[in-house]
Amino acid sequence: MASVDIHDVRKAYGSTQVVHGVNIGINDGEFVILVGPSGCGKSTLLRMIAGLENITGGEIRIGDRVVNDVPPKERDIAMVFQNYALYPHMTVSENMAFSMKLRGASKQEIEQRVSKAAGILGLGNLLDRYPRQLSGGQRQRVAMGRAIVRDPQVFLFDEPLSNLDAKLRVQMRTEIKELHQRLKTTTVYVTHDQIEAMTMADKIVVMHDGIVEQMGAPLELYDRPANLFVAGFIGSPAMNLMKGRIKDGRFESDKGGSFPIGAVPHGSEGRAVTYGIRPEHIHLAADGLKAEVVVVEPTGSETQVVAKVGGQELVCVFRERITAKPGETLGIAPDASLVHLFDGETGKRLG
Amino acid sequence: MTDMAGRMAAARRQTGFYDRLRVNKNWQGLWFMAPAAVILLLFLAYPLGKGVWLSFTDAKIGRSGEFIGLENYEWLGWPWWSDKDGVFWLSVFNTIVYTVVASAVKFAVGLYLALLLNEKIPFKALVRSVVLIPFVVPTVLSAIAFWWIYDSQFSIISWSLKNLGLIDQNINFLGDPNNARMSLIFANIWRGVPFIAITLLAGLQTVSPSLYEAATLDGATKWQIFRNITFPLLTPIIAVVMTFSVLFTFTDFQLVWALTRGGPVNATHLMATLSYQRAILAGNLGEGAAIATAMVPFLLLAIMVSWFGLQRRQWQQGGNDD
């Protein structure tokens, strides 16, 4: 196990720079998730840690060692690929044993480690199968087994769940998290799915266009997004964001409608801001804002309602069951203490 | 209850034989296969059958022959210990040497080129097209080019070596039995390499790059990656391409005929050229047909070898490829 330090790392393909000076500190044993939309540089960064891509600038350390010029096999890392990258002509046990066979480990040691990893992942009865004979979830587990057998300093996961169906994804999410709690190996995990990031990570790094937008514990990002991008990216359904101004201690939307603010920042009267409120922080209140129901989506445990306040559409999530039909009017009240305000120009968080 | 069963039976009867035939997939398949089957029967099966039949007759050009049993084969030297002719067995030997040596070298060079072209090299597209040139040129044209290259007086190789001071006399490329064999094999290799290289390159490109990355992370060296990942994944396509290569080389005719016509002293006669000489030039259709028929067991053997080698390996079976 080891810490990973990413210091001012840059990556350019020719004259196109895709990663612009990223700083991330990963503690020993931590589960860090790099999340962001596709093309944000998260996979590139992971591949630079693995040594599959050259580092254009900056420094990556694994433990105390700068690994910029260390070949991948000497970095003591193991990687799980999006398409699993299982060797199709080797059985499950041969797949897992391959790295040790190359290292010249004894037959006995190989057998012992493979069966231990297989035991952890419940692959015991599949050891003689070929990858083609396995289901998606089983292949995923074999790919993890191949990593576990190596007993590396750092695990790297590159969107490992995106080829699985929704149900299996939830299940594997739990399995990976449980595995990490058991092995306590430093893990860097790349995904574009913010739910995966929220549920699994000790620390989330939100990336966008080659820079780190915000870094922190999942709930920290949820409670205090540092800017508009993170506010819109973290949380599902996404936060309602509206442009407007602060007027008399309330927020006036450009499209019409006035909304309450908990604590108005000093000297911000008349200032252009973006107002953010999460769907789940809007409650039913008979004496609240008058909202016209547009769409009602019951999911059983909660009800998602798209409603119009003034000219502004809002997504709300209520614990209550809503019987209102489209066109009817509901009274709603945003929880003023949970409102987020962002600067109208820079998009940075206010307060 | 009986009423219902009766009505259903009536409904079943109404969908007639023709209706059922119309939606029958096998019937449809038969029609899709028919054109290809007709062509194969007409241009492959019939000539093959006719050839085998001719080999049991004493047919000459312009005269349909009588059935003479195995006499043609006996005349050629069957069984080999009572050989009278000698030329036939020489041609068998030549054909085998020609096929084995040329195929082995073509495979080695083709694989090397494929691996090279699969790497990031400058002017890749250009180099790829250059590699294909020998394949594109008509065989007879390249044979004529080689004819000049191997010419006893005007050979560019002899000329160059002489000017470099390495030899004092022209090399007798096509006049000496062993030189002639080597020269022919070289020309065949030159022609056959592109087919193998390009096919193997296509195979190489189906190997997912992430497998190489995974193997790199697993600590494999370049050679270990080739031995443990690339080569095993390539075996199915190697089996196919080498089967074709062996078949084409074994039945080669154009190149040899254009360069040496089987000479000197029959040293480069392949079974195909000998068959042509006996059947068409000498007019002994029956004897020529017997030589051609004698190629069939060898070709069958080659096909059998690849058939068993080709059988889908266990790792290719089962499951879907999602």
mmCIF file of all heavy atoms in Angstrom, chain A residues 124-150:
data_model
loop_
_atom_site.group_PDB
_atom_site.id
_atom_site.type_symbol
_atom_site.label_atom_id
_atom_site.label_comp_id
_atom_site.label_asym_id
_atom_site.label_seq_id
_atom_site.Cartn_x
_atom_site.Cartn_y
_atom_site.Cartn_z
ATOM 1 N N GLY A 124 -14.450 -19.646 -7.207
ATOM 2 C CA GLY A 124 -13.893 -20.976 -7.013
ATOM 3 C C GLY A 124 -14.290 -22.002 -8.048
ATOM 4 O O GLY A 124 -13.447 -22.741 -8.553
ATOM 5 N N ASN A 125 -15.579 -22.032 -8.425
ATOM 6 C CA ASN A 125 -16.014 -23.083 -9.350
ATOM 7 C C ASN A 125 -15.909 -22.665 -10.810
ATOM 8 O O ASN A 125 -16.365 -23.366 -11.696
ATOM 9 C CB ASN A 125 -17.452 -23.508 -9.027
ATOM 10 C CG ASN A 125 -18.375 -22.312 -8.948
ATOM 11 O OD1 ASN A 125 -17.907 -21.172 -8.911
ATOM 12 N ND2 ASN A 125 -19.669 -22.555 -8.945
ATOM 13 N N LEU A 126 -15.323 -21.495 -11.081
ATOM 14 C CA LEU A 126 -15.219 -21.033 -12.477
ATOM 15 C C LEU A 126 -13.786 -21.075 -12.976
ATOM 16 O O LEU A 126 -13.501 -20.663 -14.090
ATOM 17 C CB LEU A 126 -15.736 -19.593 -12.594
ATOM 18 C CG LEU A 126 -17.180 -19.337 -12.181
ATOM 19 C CD1 LEU A 126 -17.491 -17.851 -12.257
ATOM 20 C CD2 LEU A 126 -18.135 -20.109 -13.073
ATOM 21 N N LEU A 127 -12.862 -21.581 -12.149
ATOM 22 C CA LEU A 127 -11.441 -21.434 -12.460
ATOM 23 C C LEU A 127 -11.040 -22.047 -13.795
ATOM 24 O O LEU A 127 -10.098 -21.593 -14.424
ATOM 25 C CB LEU A 127 -10.594 -22.041 -11.340
ATOM 26 C CG LEU A 127 -10.527 -21.179 -10.076
ATOM 27 C CD1 LEU A 127 -9.738 -21.889 -8.995
ATOM 28 C CD2 LEU A 127 -9.907 -19.829 -10.374
ATOM 29 N N ASP A 128 -11.750 -23.092 -14.246
ATOM 30 C CA ASP A 128 -11.357 -23.746 -15.492
ATOM 31 C C ASP A 128 -12.125 -23.241 -16.704
ATOM 32 O O ASP A 128 -11.965 -23.751 -17.803
ATOM 33 C CB ASP A 128 -11.559 -25.259 -15.374
ATOM 34 C CG ASP A 128 -10.615 -25.844 -14.351
ATOM 35 O OD1 ASP A 128 -9.479 -25.333 -14.270
ATOM 36 O OD2 ASP A 128 -11.010 -26.766 -13.627
ATOM 37 N N ARG A 129 -12.973 -22.221 -16.503
ATOM 38 C CA ARG A 129 -13.728 -21.693 -17.633
ATOM 39 C C ARG A 129 -12.887 -20.695 -18.417
ATOM 40 O O ARG A 129 -11.962 -20.098 -17.894
ATOM 41 C CB ARG A 129 -14.975 -20.960 -17.125
ATOM 42 C CG ARG A 129 -15.910 -21.830 -16.364
ATOM 43 C CD ARG A 129 -17.113 -22.172 -17.207
ATOM 44 N NE ARG A 129 -18.163 -22.698 -16.362
ATOM 45 C CZ ARG A 129 -19.293 -22.055 -16.116
ATOM 46 N NH1 ARG A 129 -19.505 -20.868 -16.640
ATOM 47 N NH2 ARG A 129 -20.207 -22.598 -15.356
ATOM 48 N N TYR A 130 -13.307 -20.497 -19.677
ATOM 49 C CA TYR A 130 -12.707 -19.446 -20.492
ATOM 50 C C TYR A 130 -13.576 -18.194 -20.402
ATOM 51 O O TYR A 130 -14.780 -18.292 -20.163
ATOM 52 C CB TYR A 130 -12.587 -19.909 -21.940
ATOM 53 C CG TYR A 130 -11.507 -20.927 -22.130
ATOM 54 C CD1 TYR A 130 -11.780 -22.283 -22.059
ATOM 55 C CD2 TYR A 130 -10.194 -20.522 -22.343
ATOM 56 C CE1 TYR A 130 -10.776 -23.223 -22.206
ATOM 57 C CE2 TYR A 130 -9.187 -21.453 -22.493
ATOM 58 C CZ TYR A 130 -9.473 -22.802 -22.424
ATOM 59 O OH TYR A 130 -8.470 -23.710 -22.562
ATOM 60 N N PRO A 131 -12.975 -17.013 -20.595
ATOM 61 C CA PRO A 131 -13.741 -15.767 -20.466
ATOM 62 C C PRO A 131 -15.057 -15.763 -21.248
ATOM 63 O O PRO A 131 -16.054 -15.234 -20.788
ATOM 64 C CB PRO A 131 -12.775 -14.715 -21.018
ATOM 65 C CG PRO A 131 -11.437 -15.249 -20.698
ATOM 66 C CD PRO A 131 -11.549 -16.744 -20.821
ATOM 67 N N ARG A 132 -15.045 -16.367 -22.446
ATOM 68 C CA ARG A 132 -16.273 -16.358 -23.246
ATOM 69 C C ARG A 132 -17.421 -17.074 -22.564
ATOM 70 O O ARG A 132 -18.574 -16.842 -22.888
ATOM 71 C CB ARG A 132 -16.015 -17.046 -24.584
ATOM 72 C CG ARG A 132 -15.368 -16.163 -25.602
ATOM 73 C CD ARG A 132 -15.294 -16.899 -26.919
ATOM 74 N NE ARG A 132 -16.606 -16.990 -27.508
ATOM 75 C CZ ARG A 132 -16.934 -16.397 -28.649
ATOM 76 N NH1 ARG A 132 -16.047 -15.703 -29.294
ATOM 77 N NH2 ARG A 132 -18.135 -16.517 -29.131
ATOM 78 N N GLN A 133 -17.079 -17.989 -21.681
ATOM 79 C CA GLN A 133 -18.134 -18.775 -21.042
ATOM 80 C C GLN A 133 -18.673 -18.103 -19.781
ATOM 81 O O GLN A 133 -19.445 -18.699 -19.053
ATOM 82 C CB GLN A 133 -17.587 -20.170 -20.698
ATOM 83 C CG GLN A 133 -17.112 -20.928 -21.919
ATOM 84 C CD GLN A 133 -16.214 -22.091 -21.564
ATOM 85 O OE1 GLN A 133 -15.302 -21.946 -20.747
ATOM 86 N NE2 GLN A 133 -16.451 -23.232 -22.174
ATOM 87 N N LEU A 134 -18.239 -16.883 -19.527
ATOM 88 C CA LEU A 134 -18.660 -16.195 -18.308
ATOM 89 C C LEU A 134 -19.641 -15.076 -18.621
ATOM 90 O O LEU A 134 -19.651 -14.529 -19.719
ATOM 91 C CB LEU A 134 -17.435 -15.581 -17.609
ATOM 92 C CG LEU A 134 -16.305 -16.526 -17.232
ATOM 93 C CD1 LEU A 134 -15.163 -15.721 -16.629
ATOM 94 C CD2 LEU A 134 -16.779 -17.573 -16.260
ATOM 95 N N SER A 135 -20.446 -14.725 -17.628
ATOM 96 C CA SER A 135 -21.345 -13.580 -17.786
ATOM 97 C C SER A 135 -20.554 -12.300 -17.517
ATOM 98 O O SER A 135 -19.427 -12.336 -17.030
ATOM 99 C CB SER A 135 -22.489 -13.698 -16.804
ATOM 100 O OG SER A 135 -22.000 -13.510 -15.503
ATOM 101 N N GLY A 136 -21.174 -11.181 -17.821
ATOM 102 C CA GLY A 136 -20.503 -9.898 -17.644
ATOM 103 C C GLY A 136 -19.995 -9.685 -16.229
ATOM 104 O O GLY A 136 -18.855 -9.282 -16.009
ATOM 105 N N GLY A 137 -20.832 -9.987 -15.254
ATOM 106 C CA GLY A 137 -20.439 -9.780 -13.863
ATOM 107 C C GLY A 137 -19.292 -10.686 -13.456
ATOM 108 O O GLY A 137 -18.394 -10.282 -12.728
ATOM 109 N N GLN A 138 -19.327 -11.928 -13.981
ATOM 110 C CA GLN A 138 -18.237 -12.863 -13.656
ATOM 111 C C GLN A 138 -16.923 -12.396 -14.267
ATOM 112 O O GLN A 138 -15.872 -12.458 -13.635
ATOM 113 C CB GLN A 138 -18.598 -14.262 -14.161
ATOM 114 C CG GLN A 138 -19.714 -14.904 -13.359
ATOM 115 C CD GLN A 138 -20.280 -16.123 -14.044
ATOM 116 O OE1 GLN A 138 -20.206 -16.261 -15.260
ATOM 117 N NE2 GLN A 138 -20.857 -17.027 -13.272
ATOM 118 N N ARG A 139 -16.994 -11.896 -15.511
ATOM 119 C CA ARG A 139 -15.770 -11.389 -16.152
ATOM 120 C C ARG A 139 -15.190 -10.243 -15.339
ATOM 121 O O ARG A 139 -13.991 -10.138 -15.148
ATOM 122 C CB ARG A 139 -16.082 -10.885 -17.556
ATOM 123 C CG ARG A 139 -16.362 -11.995 -18.510
ATOM 124 C CD ARG A 139 -16.620 -11.437 -19.884
ATOM 125 N NE ARG A 139 -17.468 -12.351 -20.622
ATOM 126 C CZ ARG A 139 -17.853 -12.184 -21.867
ATOM 127 N NH1 ARG A 139 -17.456 -11.122 -22.532
ATOM 128 N NH2 ARG A 139 -18.610 -13.063 -22.461
ATOM 129 N N GLN A 140 -16.100 -9.365 -14.892
ATOM 130 C CA GLN A 140 -15.692 -8.240 -14.079
ATOM 131 C C GLN A 140 -14.955 -8.720 -12.835
ATOM 132 O O GLN A 140 -13.906 -8.197 -12.466
ATOM 133 C CB GLN A 140 -16.967 -7.483 -13.683
ATOM 134 C CG GLN A 140 -16.766 -6.394 -12.687
ATOM 135 C CD GLN A 140 -15.887 -5.322 -13.252
ATOM 136 O OE1 GLN A 140 -16.187 -4.751 -14.275
ATOM 137 N NE2 GLN A 140 -14.783 -5.080 -12.609
ATOM 138 N N ARG A 141 -15.486 -9.789 -12.238
ATOM 139 C CA ARG A 141 -14.862 -10.317 -11.025
ATOM 140 C C ARG A 141 -13.502 -10.934 -11.327
ATOM 141 O O ARG A 141 -12.574 -10.807 -10.537
ATOM 142 C CB ARG A 141 -15.788 -11.357 -10.390
ATOM 143 C CG ARG A 141 -16.295 -10.898 -9.055
ATOM 144 C CD ARG A 141 -17.301 -11.845 -8.500
ATOM 145 N NE ARG A 141 -18.621 -11.271 -8.642
ATOM 146 C CZ ARG A 141 -19.713 -11.955 -8.893
ATOM 147 N NH1 ARG A 141 -19.661 -13.247 -9.050
ATOM 148 N NH2 ARG A 141 -20.861 -11.340 -8.995
ATOM 149 N N VAL A 142 -13.395 -11.600 -12.480
ATOM 150 C CA VAL A 142 -12.099 -12.174 -12.851
ATOM 151 C C VAL A 142 -11.073 -11.058 -13.039
ATOM 152 O O VAL A 142 -9.927 -11.166 -12.593
ATOM 153 C CB VAL A 142 -12.207 -13.015 -14.145
ATOM 154 C CG1 VAL A 142 -10.833 -13.513 -14.568
ATOM 155 C CG2 VAL A 142 -13.148 -14.179 -13.934
ATOM 156 N N ALA A 143 -11.515 -9.969 -13.675
ATOM 157 C CA ALA A 143 -10.603 -8.842 -13.878
ATOM 158 C C ALA A 143 -10.110 -8.314 -12.534
ATOM 159 O O ALA A 143 -8.937 -7.975 -12.376
ATOM 160 C CB ALA A 143 -11.299 -7.743 -14.667
ATOM 161 N N MET A 144 -11.003 -8.279 -11.555
ATOM 162 C CA MET A 144 -10.579 -7.825 -10.227
ATOM 163 C C MET A 144 -9.662 -8.860 -9.579
ATOM 164 O O MET A 144 -8.692 -8.509 -8.920
ATOM 165 C CB MET A 144 -11.799 -7.565 -9.352
ATOM 166 C CG MET A 144 -12.569 -6.347 -9.797
ATOM 167 S SD MET A 144 -13.612 -5.687 -8.503
ATOM 168 C CE MET A 144 -14.890 -6.891 -8.445
ATOM 169 N N GLY A 145 -9.981 -10.141 -9.826
ATOM 170 C CA GLY A 145 -9.142 -11.203 -9.278
ATOM 171 C C GLY A 145 -7.724 -11.090 -9.783
ATOM 172 O O GLY A 145 -6.759 -11.264 -9.038
ATOM 173 N N ARG A 146 -7.600 -10.773 -11.077
ATOM 174 C CA ARG A 146 -6.286 -10.630 -11.667
ATOM 175 C C ARG A 146 -5.514 -9.518 -10.968
ATOM 176 O O ARG A 146 -4.296 -9.598 -10.806
ATOM 177 C CB ARG A 146 -6.449 -10.316 -13.153
ATOM 178 C CG ARG A 146 -5.288 -10.697 -13.978
ATOM 179 C CD ARG A 146 -5.644 -10.712 -15.435
ATOM 180 N NE ARG A 146 -6.121 -9.411 -15.893
ATOM 181 C CZ ARG A 146 -6.399 -9.146 -17.170
ATOM 182 N NH1 ARG A 146 -6.250 -10.084 -18.073
ATOM 183 N NH2 ARG A 146 -6.823 -7.968 -17.534
ATOM 184 N N ALA A 147 -6.255 -8.469 -10.567
ATOM 185 C CA ALA A 147 -5.590 -7.377 -9.861
ATOM 186 C C ALA A 147 -5.228 -7.779 -8.432
ATOM 187 O O ALA A 147 -4.143 -7.473 -7.953
ATOM 188 C CB ALA A 147 -6.493 -6.145 -9.867
ATOM 189 N N ILE A 148 -6.146 -8.479 -7.774
ATOM 190 C CA ILE A 148 -5.923 -8.839 -6.370
ATOM 191 C C ILE A 148 -4.721 -9.761 -6.214
ATOM 192 O O ILE A 148 -3.900 -9.598 -5.314
ATOM 193 C CB ILE A 148 -7.186 -9.524 -5.791
ATOM 194 C CG1 ILE A 148 -8.321 -8.514 -5.711
ATOM 195 C CG2 ILE A 148 -6.898 -10.128 -4.421
ATOM 196 C CD1 ILE A 148 -9.631 -9.132 -5.302
ATOM 197 N N VAL A 149 -4.609 -10.735 -7.144
ATOM 198 C CA VAL A 149 -3.534 -11.712 -7.077
ATOM 199 C C VAL A 149 -2.173 -11.029 -7.005
ATOM 200 O O VAL A 149 -1.267 -11.486 -6.333
ATOM 201 C CB VAL A 149 -3.617 -12.650 -8.313
ATOM 202 C CG1 VAL A 149 -2.316 -13.366 -8.529
ATOM 203 C CG2 VAL A 149 -4.751 -13.642 -8.135
ATOM 204 N N ARG A 150 -2.077 -9.894 -7.696
ATOM 205 C CA ARG A 150 -0.794 -9.202 -7.740
ATOM 206 C C ARG A 150 -0.435 -8.589 -6.393
ATOM 207 O O ARG A 150 0.717 -8.252 -6.147
ATOM 208 C CB ARG A 150 -0.846 -8.074 -8.771
ATOM 209 C CG ARG A 150 -1.302 -8.506 -10.132
ATOM 210 C CD ARG A 150 -0.160 -8.516 -11.106
ATOM 211 N NE ARG A 150 0.718 -7.392 -10.929
ATOM 212 C CZ ARG A 150 0.665 -6.293 -11.650
ATOM 213 N NH1 ARG A 150 -0.242 -6.171 -12.569
ATOM 214 N NH2 ARG A 150 1.532 -5.334 -11.453
#
